[in-house]
Amino acid sequence: MALLPTISSPAHAAPLPAGFVRLADVDPSIRQDIRYAGLENFLHRKADGYDAPVCILTRQAAKALSTVQKAMTAKGLTLVVFDCYRPAQAVADMGKWTRQGGPPDPQWYPTVQRGDLIAEGYIGELSSHSRGSTVDLAIAETDKKSSAHPACGAPDGGTLDFGTGFDCFDPKSETASALIGAEAAANRKMLLAAMRAAGFRNYAREWWHFTLTKEPFPKQRFDFPVTAN
């Protein structure tokens, strides 16, 4: 009897854990620029666990973020998310990377040794991102998508002036820093006010970092990969 050839079906990602959603399924109008899925980040490579440039959040955080987006859209603006849920394996990857040591990096950490990034509080050995209700983001003009390189941090993807780019590990990134210009300070205040109104709190060391105050998993960290579907 002839044997039929074995046909392997394409692999499908496992369903998201209960309570998690892909942001695009809640609000596809929010621009996504997920940095750790590519090369434009302080690692200069993809982080472990990022199999797609996709924002995943808890349903509560995604819905709250959508309310902020509606307020931005009314002003001709849009949110741009740089990181959302972060697998625990990515956090461990970043920690291991810092321990390899090295000199400052002019783009990402211009005044700090690589091995001191954890001690200085710029990279955490644990991260609220792994709880699924933390997001790193900025605001951009709706019709502007050009990419420029700020003095420190990520290419801005057409964002408004915030004084630094995302993941600039420097005192200028502190939300209330006096080292930035008036326009950047005003834009930070606008982002802060909009996020607070939707129930998010800011991490004072990073103007871009916000966590939902009433997060559903305050003591639980997750490690499923970031996938497109």
Side-chain angles (χ1 to χ4, degrees), residues 5-206:
T6 301
I7 300 175
S8 58
S9 57
H12 294 282
L16 295 178
F20 283 81
V21 296
R22 290 179 177 85
L23 179 61
D25 292 334
V26 174
D27 194 330
S29 72
I30 297 175
R31 192 179 299 169
Q32 298 191 28
D33 189 7
I34 306 302
R35 292 299 173 146
Y36 301 132
L39 305 179
E40 288 280 11
N41 60 67
F42 64 88
L43 297 169
H44 298 284
R45 60 168 173 79
K46 183 181 80 68
D48 288 354
Y50 284 82
D51 297 339
V54 172
C55 174
I56 295 172
L57 289 167
T58 61
R59 185 175 299 278
Q60 293 93 325
K63 287 184 175 181
L65 203 60
S66 184
T67 67
V68 180
Q69 176 70 348
K70 288 178 175 62
M72 293 298 110
T73 300
K75 300 177 181 180
L77 302 171
T78 182
L79 296 177
V80 182
V81 293
F82 300 118
D83 194 34
C84 300
Y85 156 73
R86 184 183 305 169
Q89 62 188 290
V91 179
D93 183 22
M94 293 173 184
K96 181 179 179 181
W97 172 87
T98 65
R99 290 188 286 274
Q100 294 170 358
D105 182 323
Q107 183 178 353
W108 302 98
Y109 41 100
T111 62
V112 184
Q113 296 288 321
R114 178 166 155 181
D116 294 333
L117 287 170
I118 290 178
E120 294 290 333
Y122 292 118
I123 295 177
E125 295 197 80
L126 297 174
S127 174
S128 61
H129 282 277
S130 299
R131 305 197 298 261
S133 294
T134 293
V135 60
D136 294 333
L137 77 171
I139 301 169
E141 295 178 20
T142 302
D143 58 355
K144 184 178 178 183
K145 296 184 179 180
S146 62
S147 183
H149 281 75
C152 177
D156 65 15
T159 67
L160 303 181
D161 178 11
F162 284 94
T164 75
F166 162 65
D167 265 1
C168 171
F169 300 141
D170 186 85
K172 288 185 294 185
S173 292
E174 295 176 9
T175 306
S177 174
L179 303 174
I180 59 173
E183 181 180 355
N187 288 333
R188 290 186 186 187
K189 288 179 181 177
M190 176 171 63
L191 177 61
L192 183 64
M195 293 296 284
R196 280 178 173 171
F200 289 90
R201 65 181 182 275
N202 174 245
Y203 173 48
R205 297 287 300 278
E206 299 174 347

